[in-house]
Amino acid sequence: MSEHPSKSSGRRPSLTKPPPPAAPRKAQATAKKSQAAAHKLHVVVNKSQTAIQKPQALAQNPQSPEQDLQVPEQEMQDSAPAPAASSIDDDINNIPIASLTLDTPLIPLRKKPPRVPATPFHFLSLPSELRVKIYEYYFEDDGEVLDLSPNNYKSIHKKLGLMRVCRLLHEEATYYYYGTRTFRLFPTYPGKYFKSKRPLLARLKPRQRECLTTLELRLGPGWNAPPKGWAVNDALGLKDCINVHKLKVLVECDPSDGIFKGFRRSEGFYESFSRALLTNVLEALPAVSTVEFDAWSSVKKTGNMMSGLIKVAGETNGVAIRWGPERGWTDADEDEDTAATVAGPDPNRPLESVPIQGFGNSHNIMVVA
């Protein structure tokens, strides 16, 4: 009977795991290929560094022969050991990007300077009529009615920089811009602008107010509690508006209507406030000659609001009353205007294409009324 090998040798049996079996042939071949590829990559990196150092050495010592700077490929392969994969990755990451361009040097990205024409265009050499036409295209996106709002700085402030070019442009652009737009007397934009004590007209300079030709008074916002800034005083600057010949009055609502019952501050409060405000504005404007009334669809021409305002304008000397395009009112009464607008074919009158029975003759002639 054979004894256990551990007993015969006198050694204790090993408590550790047996060694792993040898790697298969495919795994060994794959490992050899990866080592060979890493070695080739290292050789390529050394070649690129040598090619970069070669012109630098020639520039420093032009008398040295080129053979001294060349390294035989066979010696490099024999002397250089196969590096590990991690060291190769570190070497590749440390290569500057300029080293990868051997033929063409790396040029930093530069922005092209702005194109400046060789012969600049002389804008002031144009006739004044053409310059005014250019101002029209330049300011066409600003709107016809200007009010105190937060959008003024974004849309208008930058464009007004044109007026700081020279004195001639300042005179022409100022006269055109302020003379072709309607400026609202009191702000209607909600929030702090609506309650501001300095309306847009008060923020303008006297020279700018002299160029104005049309103002707008919008009544209706804050009908139950008008802001304190809605007052005619010297700070408003109406005495400087010597070229304002038209005042537009737009009424948004009529608190005397029955729909406002129970919400009014008091009977006739806002109507009297509006009449007093219009009276003060007409007295402060030195050259106004036309008052144009207009309103929203809910406002009646015969209501207390409109009738009181029309009476104030009619009692002002030298002021003509006109009607705006919103409602299309005329000098006739509202009932007649409404009847003319709604009027159509008489419902009791038969259509011309329908024959009337009993009124035809023997020749089948159709008789119409």
Side-chain angles (χ1 to χ4, degrees):
M1 183 175 180
S2 61
E3 296 180 356
H4 196 272
S6 60
K7 293 181 180 180
S8 61
S9 60
R11 298 179 181 178
R12 294 182 180 180
S14 177
L15 300 179
T16 59
K17 295 181 180 180
R25 294 182 179 180
K26 291 184 178 180
Q28 294 178 359
T30 304
K32 290 181 180 180
K33 289 181 180 180
S34 61
Q35 292 179 0
H39 180 67
K40 289 183 179 180
L41 180 61
H42 183 71
V43 171
V44 171
V45 171
N46 291 336
K47 282 185 178 181
S48 61
Q49 292 180 353
T50 304
I52 295 169
Q53 295 174 359
K54 178 180 177 180
Q56 296 178 356
L58 288 175
Q60 295 177 359
N61 189 9
Q63 296 180 358
S64 61
E66 297 182 359
Q67 290 79 8
D68 298 339
L69 298 177
Q70 295 180 355
V71 179
E73 183 178 356
Q74 187 65 28
E75 294 180 5
M76 185 182 300
Q77 293 179 358
D78 297 339
S79 60
S86 59
S87 62
I88 294 175
D89 295 339
D90 296 339
D91 295 340
I92 294 175
N93 294 331
N94 294 331
I95 296 176
I97 191 171
S99 302
L100 303 178
T101 57
L102 301 178
D103 299 331
T104 305
L106 186 64
I107 301 176
L109 181 62
R110 296 179 182 178
K111 294 183 179 180
K112 294 183 179 180
R115 181 177 174 272
V116 179
T119 56
F121 178 74
H122 297 282
F123 178 74
L124 297 180
S125 62
L126 293 175
S128 59
E129 295 82 1
L130 293 181
R131 293 201 298 267
V132 171
K133 195 66 177 178
I134 293 174
Y135 299 149
E136 180 181 353
Y137 288 116
Y138 183 72
F139 293 113
E140 65 179 354
D141 297 333
D142 294 346
E144 297 181 358
V145 181
L146 297 182
D147 192 5
L148 187 64
S149 68
N151 299 326
N152 291 346
Y153 184 81
K154 299 178 182 179
S155 59
I156 301 177
H157 180 72
K158 294 181 179 180
K159 289 187 176 182
L160 295 183
L162 175 68
M163 302 177 183
R164 295 191 289 268
V165 174
C166 65
R167 182 171 297 180
L168 180 59
L169 280 180
H170 179 271
E171 294 294 331
E172 292 180 350
T174 300
Y175 183 80
Y176 173 80
Y177 183 78
Y178 292 96
T180 56
R181 275 153 181 79
T182 301
F183 281 74
R184 191 164 293 163
L185 276 174
F186 302 104
T188 59
Y189 194 89
K192 63 178 182 179
Y193 299 94
F194 177 64
K195 299 180 180 180
S196 176
K197 296 182 180 179
R198 292 187 62 200
L200 180 60
L201 189 64
R203 299 170 186 261
L204 300 180
K205 298 179 180 179
R207 177 67 181 91
Q208 297 170 346
R209 288 195 289 263
E210 291 177 1
C211 300
L212 301 180
T213 58
T214 307
L215 295 177
E216 182 190 72
L217 176 62
R218 179 165 292 202
L219 299 173
W223 57 272
N224 200 25
K228 296 181 180 180
W230 285 43
V232 178
N233 47 33
D234 295 338
L236 191 59
L238 290 179
K239 63 180 181 180
D240 298 328
C241 303
I242 57 177
N243 291 317
V244 174
H245 300 288
K246 179 187 287 188
L247 175 64
K248 295 182 178 180
V249 180
L250 179 63
V251 181
E252 295 183 358
C253 64
D254 186 0
S256 64
D257 194 276
I259 195 174
F260 292 92
K261 188 176 181 180
F263 300 95
R264 305 187 189 100
R265 183 173 179 177
S266 61
E267 292 293 335
F269 164 74
Y270 193 71
E271 293 88 324
S272 60
F273 169 80
S274 301
R275 290 194 298 268
L277 186 63
L278 179 60
T279 302
N280 296 334
V281 170
L282 292 177
E283 291 177 355
L285 288 174
V288 62
S289 59
T290 304
V291 178
E292 182 182 286
F293 287 102
D294 211 342
W296 286 2
S297 59
S298 61
V299 180
K300 296 180 180 179
K301 186 179 178 181
T302 56
N304 295 338
M305 184 74 171
M306 286 301 305
S307 58
L309 296 175
I310 294 173
K311 183 179 179 181
V312 169
E315 294 176 353
T316 305
N317 296 328
V319 174
I321 298 177
R322 298 290 183 266
W323 310 103
E326 183 73 20
R327 294 296 299 273
W329 284 333
T330 61
D331 293 335
D333 295 336
E334 186 178 14
D335 295 337
E336 297 178 4
D337 295 343
T338 306
T341 304
V342 180
D346 189 357
N348 297 323
R349 179 181 179 182
L351 298 177
E352 298 180 356
S353 60
V354 179
I356 301 177
Q357 298 293 335
F359 288 90
N361 53 17
S362 58
H363 299 284
N364 294 327
I365 298 176
M366 184 174 60
V367 180
V368 294

